[in-house]
Amino acid sequence: MGRTVLNSFVVLALVGTLAACGPPLGWQKPGVTLAEANIDSSECAALARNQAFRESAFGPPGYYGGYYGSWPYRYGSYGYRSYDSFMWRSQRESDLQDFCLRARGYHLAPIPQ
């Protein structure tokens, strides 16, 4: 049992290392200058930051309601929240910024070198 877990870990580490070897990606939109792209990117970043901050005041979606609203799920065994709100907010902000840029017509493509 222990050997298969170790082998699985080695395979996942190798796959992760090889996946990081791809070309760098950037947000691109045909017919847009670099200055316009920077403005759009900073506007989307500000919108995403504000929205993620507002959402983080109540925790992740569904955290307080439904099946996860009862005491054992809402709090850890010592009475504190069992999730890291900063990490959740950081991921949510990134997702919102990606959504904003895609809605404005941008797409991820390899950066020409």
Side-chain angles (χ1 to χ4, degrees):
M1 175 83 178
R3 193 157 189 70
T4 58
V5 171
L6 180 62
N7 289 342
S8 299
F9 178 74
V10 170
V11 168
L12 286 174
L14 182 61
V15 168
T17 303
L18 291 176
C21 295
L25 299 175
W27 290 102
Q28 298 177 6
K29 180 179 177 180
V32 174
T33 65
L34 183 60
E36 292 171 336
N38 287 337
I39 291 170
D40 283 342
S41 180
S42 63
E43 286 176 357
C44 283
L47 290 170
R49 183 174 45 253
N50 292 336
Q51 181 64 28
F53 180 76
R54 283 192 299 272
E55 290 177 5
S56 71
F58 301 105
Y63 183 71
Y64 288 105
Y67 296 107
Y68 300 105
S70 61
W71 179 81
Y73 297 109
R74 185 182 302 171
Y75 300 102
S77 58
Y78 298 106
Y80 58 86
R81 292 183 180 193
S82 59
Y83 71 94
D84 185 355
S85 64
F86 177 76
M87 292 302 293
W88 176 83
R89 189 173 75 207
S90 169
Q91 180 62 47
R92 181 67 175 147
E93 184 177 332
S94 176
D95 292 344
L96 287 168
Q97 185 174 5
D98 290 353
F99 176 79
C100 178
L101 287 168
R102 288 185 194 279
R104 292 182 181 204
Y106 289 85
H107 62 280
L108 278 176
I111 298 172
Q113 296 184 7

